[in-house]
């Protein structure tokens, strides 16, 4: 849904957009585009990859399922199909996003990598400069800019002494698809979040021998408690109880289901799981079978890495063990600070500042969707609010322009 004009300007082409510029065609960008379409507001959506939802399509493992029930992961204005299971698979979620794209006739401009986005004080307009697939540059100009490139734009791999000398395979979780290639191998998985846990489980099921690095404390919760989603239980309780009491109840129920985890080398944080998520943005691990493999010894828990050797790794406790491969399940970072020149809305890690947790609108027509570490449900809520705000301003500008002509 676009309304534009194109002219030559210096060494690159220039396009004026009659509506907002949306950066990113993942769930956040698609949700924003869908809500704007419902409001009748035109837009241009820019995506650096050659497809929508590139993280889901190109950088996720095969066994992945949504960790939360589908009602918490659907985008605005279009629920999941009724025949989808409670926890849709990766394939089903991608199909749903494609269904969403077609339903709202969303047509991103693919292979457009944003180089910079700056607010021009003289014209009171946003100028977004991109590098296109063929090497050409383009500049998009608009009254509004929606930052929706996602919290998981760039892979994070920590630096370790000796890693460059390690002779085994080194990869990031974004490159992992299945454990078939690791059969019979000793694999070190660095990271104990949901991805690290699930990859260790997958490695076990493909006859590999995983060890998982656990540097810090971690909350492991059952995905369901007595047949009901643990997340859903927590959300329901938070409607009528203080956060500390919700955490106390959920941890007690978790103990009934899973037992103690500290004896396994999995110490719990001092903050409760929902408090930790709200305050620090750290998501608890929802167990789907890895914990039983840890108890049986099929998944070994190891401390932080000190250094790598050609065929082995040394941990901070002095233990040295042989390994064949390393998989970094160390997460992602945002890249918004790399290209957005007006970043008063973001902290130095590229996430929305605390003041933005309940407000998605900044100054000068800048909007943010999906940077408060609240998952897909948070992206959807952001998109609804942003679309309403932009539509009001867009209608007002159209009215003022009409009055000026008359």
């Amino acid at each position: 849904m676009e309304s534009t004009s194109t002219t030559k300007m210096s060494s690159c082409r220039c396009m004026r957009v009659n509506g907002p510029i949306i950066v990113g065609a993942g769930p956040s960008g698609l949700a924003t585009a869908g809500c704007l379409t419902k409001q009748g507001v035109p837009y241009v959506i820019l995506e650096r990859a050659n497809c929508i939802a590139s993280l889901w399509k190109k950088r996720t493992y095969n066994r992945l399922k949504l960790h939360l029930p589908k009602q918490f992961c659907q985008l605005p204005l279009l629920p999941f199909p009724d025949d989808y299971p409670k926890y849709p698979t990766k394939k089903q979620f991608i199909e749903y996003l494609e269904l969403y794209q077609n339903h709202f006739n969303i047509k991103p401009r693919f292979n457009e990598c944003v180089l910079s986005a700056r607010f021009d004080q003289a014209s009171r307009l946003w100028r977004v400069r991109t590098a296109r697939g063929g090497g050409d540059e383009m500049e998009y100009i608009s009254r509004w800019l929606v930052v929706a490139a996602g919290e998981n734009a760039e892979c994070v791999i920590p630096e370790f002494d000796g890693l460059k000398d390690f002779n085994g395979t080194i990869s990031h979780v974004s490159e992992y698809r299945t454990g078939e290639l690791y059969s019979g191998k000793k694999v070190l998985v660095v990271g104990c979040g949901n991805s690290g846990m699930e990859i260790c489980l997958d490695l076990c099921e493909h006859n590999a021998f995983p060890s998982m690095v656990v540097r810090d404390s971690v909350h492991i919760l059952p995905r369901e408690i007595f047949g009901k989603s643990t997340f859903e239980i927590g959300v329901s309780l938070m409607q009528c109880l203080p956060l500390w009491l919700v955490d106390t109840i959920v941890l007690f129920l978790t103990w009934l289901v899973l037992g103690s985890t500290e004896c396994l080398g999995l110490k719990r944080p001092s903050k409760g799981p929902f408090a930790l998520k709200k305050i620090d943005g750290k998501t608890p691990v929802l167990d789907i079978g890895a914990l039983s493999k840890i108890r049986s010894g099929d998944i070994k828990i190891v401390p932080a890495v000190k250094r790598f050797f050609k065929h082995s790794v040394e941990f901070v406790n002095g233990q040295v063990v042989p390994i064949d491969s390393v998989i970094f399940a160390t997460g992602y970072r945002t890249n918004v600070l790399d290209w957005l020149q007006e970043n008063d809305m973001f902290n130095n890690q590229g996430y929305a500042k605390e003041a933005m947790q309940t407000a998605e609108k900044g100054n000068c027509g800048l909007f943010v969707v999906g940077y408060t570490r609240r998952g897909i449900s948070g992206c959807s809520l952001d998109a609804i609010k942003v679309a309403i705000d932009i539509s009001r301003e867009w209608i007002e500008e159209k009215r003022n322009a009409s009055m000026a002509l008359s």
Side-chain angles (χ1 to χ4, degrees), residues 131-312:
R132 312 185 77 184
D136 298 331
E137 290 192 4
M138 187 84 179
E139 187 172 52
Y140 296 88
I141 300 174
S142 173
R143 169 69 180 80
W144 304 275
L145 173 64
V146 180
V147 179
E151 297 173 324
N152 301 320
E154 306 292 341
C155 302
V156 173
I157 296 182
E159 294 184 0
F160 289 100
D161 288 341
L163 184 59
K164 293 180 180 179
D165 299 323
F166 179 64
N167 281 347
T169 60
I170 301 171
S171 61
H172 186 267
V173 64
S174 60
E175 302 170 87
Y176 184 93
R177 298 296 174 267
T178 174
E180 291 179 1
L181 298 176
Y182 297 91
S183 179
K185 296 184 181 297
K186 299 180 179 68
V187 185
L188 182 69
V189 177
V190 182
C192 59
N194 281 295
S195 295
M197 287 281 189
E198 286 192 40
I199 285 176
C200 284
L201 179 61
D202 194 58
L203 287 167
C204 284
E205 293 175 356
H206 287 89
N207 301 312
F209 304 98
S211 297
M212 184 172 62
V213 173
V214 180
R215 294 194 323 163
D216 303 312
S217 54
V218 58
H219 276 301
I220 300 179
L221 309 178
R223 184 169 69 175
E224 293 189 344
I225 297 177
F226 308 132
K228 194 174 182 66
S229 160
T230 303
F231 179 80
E232 193 172 358
I233 291 172
V235 170
S236 299
L237 291 174
M238 281 190 286
Q239 294 177 0
C240 56
L241 297 175
L243 190 58
W244 69 267
L245 184 54
V246 173
D247 277 332
T248 301
I249 294 172
V250 168
L251 286 177
F252 175 72
L253 294 174
T254 294
W255 177 79
L256 291 178
V257 176
L258 298 181
S260 173
T261 60
E262 291 205 14
C263 60
L264 303 173
L266 301 169
K267 184 179 179 181
R268 293 193 180 277
S270 57
K271 295 178 185 174
F274 286 93
L276 197 66
K277 175 64 175 174
K278 182 177 180 180
I279 298 170
D280 299 332
K282 293 184 177 180
T283 302
V285 173
L286 298 177
D287 179 56
I288 59 170
L291 196 59
S292 65
K293 295 293 185 181
I294 294 172
R295 291 187 190 280
S296 67
D298 293 318
I299 299 174
K300 299 187 183 300
I301 301 300
V302 295
V305 172
K306 182 177 181 180
R307 65 166 290 127
F308 288 92
F309 300 100
K310 286 186 176 182
H311 304 287
S312 60

